[in-house]
Amino acid sequence: MSIKRSSYHHGNLREALIGATAALIAELGPHAFTLAEAARQAGVSPAAPYRHFRDREDLLEAVATE
C-alpha cells in the first residue's frame, strides 16, 4: 500500500522567495512589496515565508546579501 502525500513541497522555498522578492523590488521598489505578494509570486501560501524568514526585513536582508 502506498501513502499519498497530501501536502505540497516547494523544493527550495528560500531561494524561490528571494528570487520573487528581488523581482518585486525591481518592479515596485523596496518599500512597496509585501511578504504575502512574495509568497504569491513564489506559488506558496502567505504563511510559508515565515518558515525561512522572521519578517519582511529578514527577507530584504537575504535579497541584499544575494
Side-chain angles (χ1 to χ4, degrees):
M1 174 195 298
S2 70
I3 298 174
K4 187 174 182 181
R5 223 178 144 155
S6 62
S7 65
Y8 174 74
H9 182 70
H10 189 277
N12 195 343
L13 177 57
R14 186 177 197 285
E15 292 303 316
L17 288 167
I18 290 171
T21 300
L24 286 168
I25 289 171
E27 180 182 337
L28 305 172
H31 299 290
F33 94 95
T34 65
L35 276 175
E37 182 60 19
R40 190 181 75 71
Q41 291 289 325
V44 297
S45 76
Y50 294 101
R51 292 187 150 293
H52 296 279
F53 304 99
R54 287 183 310 274
D55 54 22
R56 182 182 183 280
E57 296 304 315
D58 194 30
L59 178 51
L60 278 174
E61 186 178 314
V63 170
T65 300
E66 292 287 317

